[in-house]
Amino acid sequence: MVIIMINFMKYDFVIDKIELACLVGAGKGSMIHKNRASHGLAIFLGGERTFYFNEKKFKVTKNTIVYFPKGSNYTIKEETPFDCYAINFQMSDDAVFEPFCFKIKNLNSYLESFKNSQKIWLKKAPGYSSKVKSELYNIIYNMQSEYVIPYSNSSVIQPAIDYIHSNYFKENINILHLASLCNISVVHLRNCFIKTFAKPPIKYINSLKLTRAKELLESGMYTVSDVCFLSGYNDESYFSREFKKHFKNSPREYIKASQK
């Protein structure tokens, strides 16, 4: 099944095969592409060029990543040539996304992965394809992380977000403590979370706990009591009520349903 125009930044990727990881020198490469054979990500470190995908076009300058969909047709007008690094890949499903350009905030975290990929692919030591896959996953992870947290709010509540993800499964997180980490009021913290994630901090934390609980139950390795405490809850009755409210089944009902 082909998934059309699904949001790249929220997709759970399964990379099937790396086709190429390379450095494209300034002024090199084709300017016309038809029925592209693979998905691609390229990072442009400088220069200026315009991409034309049918009726869609966008201008790309330095520190920008461009996504090229498999099967796409496009042309490039290069005003100021400059080197770029690229990785072409196949996915295990037939997902298709819209082409886009993404201005990155932290160049070094991306550039290291692109450069490593090019060097590893060129050297072709044992396991090189798997290593390039890991670098590609790191690039996608960084892109999705930047996209999910908008620029306007990320710097304000980032300390709270980091604390939540490090501790949600082992303690009852205090919202006052989160606000103090960010040097803002509880009201401001709540408003920033709602603007960023469309939910207040408590619901954000609970969503993480319940997602972990669901994964642990599906593994078949833990009792409901174990899952309760491993997910950051300290009351099994409360945990069961919250789980049922979220997933429409109690934890024990969910285990039975998942085993069918």
Side-chain angles (χ1 to χ4, degrees):
M1 181 178 69
V2 178
I3 307 172
I4 304 297
M5 294 169 58
I6 193 167
N7 194 329
F8 180 101
M9 297 300 186
K10 298 179 181 178
Y11 197 69
D12 187 8
F13 282 85
V14 179
I15 306 301
D16 183 47
K17 181 182 179 183
I18 301 295
E19 298 285 2
L20 179 68
C22 64
L23 169 65
V24 181
K28 305 295 183 180
S30 174
M31 298 292 109
I32 301 175
H33 298 259
K34 293 184 178 181
N35 193 24
R36 184 183 170 90
S38 60
H39 300 275
L41 286 174
I43 186 169
F44 293 87
L45 307 176
E48 188 174 303
R49 76 277 310 147
T50 303
F51 290 87
Y52 298 86
F53 290 85
N54 297 324
E55 296 179 358
K56 186 173 185 177
K57 75 171 185 177
F58 44 80
K59 187 177 287 291
V60 173
T61 55
K62 69 176 183 178
N63 299 349
T64 302
I65 290 178
V66 175
Y67 165 69
F68 303 92
K70 181 177 180 178
S72 60
N73 302 307
Y74 58 95
T75 59
I76 308 169
K77 181 181 178 183
E78 208 164 41
E79 288 85 7
T80 310
F82 208 92
D83 292 350
C84 79
Y85 287 89
I87 303 176
N88 296 340
F89 59 96
Q90 305 288 352
M91 293 193 292
S92 295
D93 54 24
D94 295 319
V96 177
F97 312 93
E98 291 185 311
F100 64 85
C101 61
F102 183 68
K103 194 77 171 178
I104 59 178
K105 291 190 285 186
N106 185 359
L107 173 63
N108 290 336
S109 62
Y110 294 96
L111 187 55
E112 183 178 1
S113 288
F114 274 102
K115 284 185 173 180
N116 285 344
S117 296
Q118 185 265 336
K119 292 176 182 176
I120 294 163
W121 192 260
L122 184 62
K123 189 174 180 180
K124 298 198 181 316
Y128 73 97
S129 182
S130 295
K131 179 58 177 173
V132 174
K133 281 184 185 179
S134 73
E135 296 288 357
L136 177 58
Y137 277 121
N138 190 56
I139 291 166
I140 293 171
Y141 164 77
N142 286 330
M143 292 173 68
Q144 292 180 334
S145 296
E146 282 194 18
Y147 176 84
V148 167
I149 304 174
Y151 287 79
S152 58
N153 297 316
S154 61
S155 60
V156 177
I157 61 172
Q158 192 62 54
I161 296 168
D162 291 342
Y163 188 88
I164 288 169
H165 282 268
S166 296
N167 296 282
Y168 76 89
F169 52 89
K170 58 185 179 184
E171 69 175 72
N172 188 16
I173 296 175
N174 186 289
I175 305 303
L176 279 172
H177 179 59
L178 294 179
S180 68
L181 289 174
C182 303
N183 293 315
I184 58 176
S185 69
V186 171
V187 172
H188 191 183
L189 178 80
R190 185 177 185 278
N191 289 340
C192 283
F193 263 82
I194 291 173
K195 288 178 181 177
T196 304
F197 302 109
K199 61 182 71 173
I202 292 175
K203 287 191 175 181
Y204 183 84
I205 295 167
N206 206 38
S207 177
L208 290 174
K209 289 183 176 183
L210 291 171
T211 298
R212 175 169 167 79
K214 175 176 171 287
E215 293 168 350
L216 293 175
L217 290 173
E218 288 173 347
S219 75
M221 297 171 61
Y222 304 94
T223 66
V224 171
S225 181
D226 289 337
V227 170
C228 168
F229 294 103
L230 288 171
S231 302
Y233 293 95
N234 52 25
D235 184 309
E236 190 174 331
S237 296
Y238 176 74
F239 162 63
S240 295
R241 290 196 300 273
E242 288 296 300
F243 191 92
K244 187 168 186 176
K245 187 190 303 181
H246 196 81
F247 295 110
K248 311 304 180 186
N249 284 315
S250 71
R252 287 180 173 78
E253 290 169 342
Y254 190 85
I255 290 173
K256 290 180 181 179
S258 63
Q259 290 174 344
K260 291 181 180 179

